[in-house]
Amino acid sequence: MDETEIIEKQKTLAEKITDADMVLVGIGEEFNENFEDIHQFPNLMSALEEVDIDETLEWTIPFLEHRFLIEHQEGRLEEAYRKLYELVKDKNYFVITTCIDENIRKAPFDSERVVEPCGNYQMLQCSEKCCNTLYSSKDFSDLVHQAILDKVGLDSLEVPKCPVCGKPLVYSNILCEQNYVEEGYQKQWENYTKWLQRTLNQKLCILELGVELNLPNIIRWPFEKVAFYNQKASFFRINDSLYQMTEELSGKGISIAMNAVDFLRTYTLSDRTGTEGLS
């Protein structure tokens, strides 16, 4: 897409969002953190070098990634989330994301309007799922941070253990595969489904950002269904490669063949008005 076409698409999106009663946002794989900026943090790089030397320390890698996510506040993803927030902040919106990196929390979205069904780094769970109990990851994350700052070595840390069965604790997200404890997001998922039920006869703007086909049953297919049944819906699918719109949605859907992160980062429109409050 050339610059003129991008600007026109952005104008159309802004107009549809302004006119909408409700805005549904889905965030997918193009927003996944790739940790390419970790070289900006010498302490974390030194810790990773320890892991390279001692394979028994590989269990610390997710905890080092979490430290990066906490400390890294400025990057292309963070910029894109801030632009997205500016687009929807005055509207009755809801965001569903398959990303587990928590970068969405670096923009001031209302936490009651966001659901993360794939989990994140906020909580720990038993790696063997002996129970469905979740534990805050903050205390152990702070221990990792202090060990790095004090340069005492990662081997000074002990693997966090489940207080029930003694097996290692791990972050509660889909990387646990079949052992993932889903209770952590289910209350917010219920709020999302209730909100979604109220969109049927409303002017709904659907914004699908960088969603691919790894988990199509969470965003891609349900969004298509919502758009199909809502006669007042408009649907934007923004993706570098999987931007094609289904034939059933050709009349109300707009395909944008561009990386969704970059599309938002180039967004410069302002002075929009909207409505506030969950209904």
Side-chain angles (χ1 to χ4, degrees), residues 22 24 191-200 204 226:
M22 306 173 80
L24 173 61
N191 293 336
Y192 165 62
T193 55
K194 290 176 182 177
W195 182 92
L196 202 57
Q197 290 169 3
R198 296 194 290 269
T199 66
L200 186 56
L204 176 67
V226 170

Side-chain angles (χ1 to χ4, degrees), residues 99-121:
C99 299
I100 66 172
D101 50 42
E102 304 173 352
N103 282 319
I104 193 171
R105 297 170 185 258
K106 297 173 185 176
F109 291 97
D110 183 345
S111 61
E112 295 300 313
R113 297 173 180 264
V114 177
V115 61
E116 302 165 280
C118 295
N120 50 44
Y121 287 81

Side-chain angles (χ1 to χ4, degrees), residues 33-49 64-65 67-69 71-76:
E33 178 62 68
N34 61 13
F35 300 97
E36 65 180 7
D37 290 339
I38 200 166
H39 66 276
Q40 298 176 7
F41 299 87
N43 288 336
L44 290 175
M45 289 300 294
S46 295
L48 288 172
E49 289 172 3
L64 296 175
E65 291 176 345
R67 287 312 312 176
F68 168 81
L69 293 169
E71 297 178 34
H72 185 249
Q73 297 294 322
E74 297 295 331
R76 61 188 296 272

Side-chain angles (χ1 to χ4, degrees), residues 81-110:
Y81 279 119
R82 288 192 291 268
K83 292 290 184 70
L84 175 61
Y85 173 74
E86 290 300 318
L87 268 172
V88 304
K89 66 180 182 180
D90 297 324
K91 307 301 294 188
N92 181 358
Y93 70 85
F94 216 108
V95 181
I96 176 171
T97 175
T98 58
C99 299
I100 66 172
D101 50 42
E102 304 173 352
N103 282 319
I104 193 171
R105 297 170 185 258
K106 297 173 185 176
F109 291 97
D110 183 345

Side-chain angles (χ1 to χ4, degrees), residues 40-168:
Q40 298 176 7
F41 299 87
N43 288 336
L44 290 175
M45 289 300 294
S46 295
L48 288 172
E49 289 172 3
E50 284 188 60
V51 178
D52 287 339
I53 295 171
D54 185 352
E55 293 182 357
T56 65
L57 296 175
E58 287 186 356
W59 66 269
T60 65
I61 290 177
F63 298 96
L64 296 175
E65 291 176 345
H66 189 198
R67 287 312 312 176
F68 168 81
L69 293 169
I70 292 171
E71 297 178 34
H72 185 249
Q73 297 294 322
E74 297 295 331
R76 61 188 296 272
L77 294 175
E78 289 82 359
E79 180 184 7
Y81 279 119
R82 288 192 291 268
K83 292 290 184 70
L84 175 61
Y85 173 74
E86 290 300 318
L87 268 172
V88 304
K89 66 180 182 180
D90 297 324
K91 307 301 294 188
N92 181 358
Y93 70 85
F94 216 108
V95 181
I96 176 171
T97 175
T98 58
C99 299
I100 66 172
D101 50 42
E102 304 173 352
N103 282 319
I104 193 171
R105 297 170 185 258
K106 297 173 185 176
F109 291 97
D110 183 345
S111 61
E112 295 300 313
R113 297 173 180 264
V114 177
V115 61
E116 302 165 280
C118 295
N120 50 44
Y121 287 81
Q122 289 289 307
M123 307 299 289
L124 298 172
Q125 66 164 81
C126 176
S127 57
E128 297 297 323
K129 198 179 180 181
C130 73
C131 61
N132 291 330
T133 304
L134 297 175
Y135 308 91
S136 172
S137 66
K138 183 180 184 305
D139 288 346
F140 192 78
S141 178
D142 289 344
L143 287 176
V144 174
H145 182 53
Q146 198 60 48
I148 293 172
L149 290 180
D150 294 343
K151 301 183 186 302
V152 297
L154 296 177
D155 56 3
S156 66
L157 298 169
E158 295 183 3
V159 180
K161 299 292 181 61
C162 173
V164 178
C165 72
K167 297 294 185 180

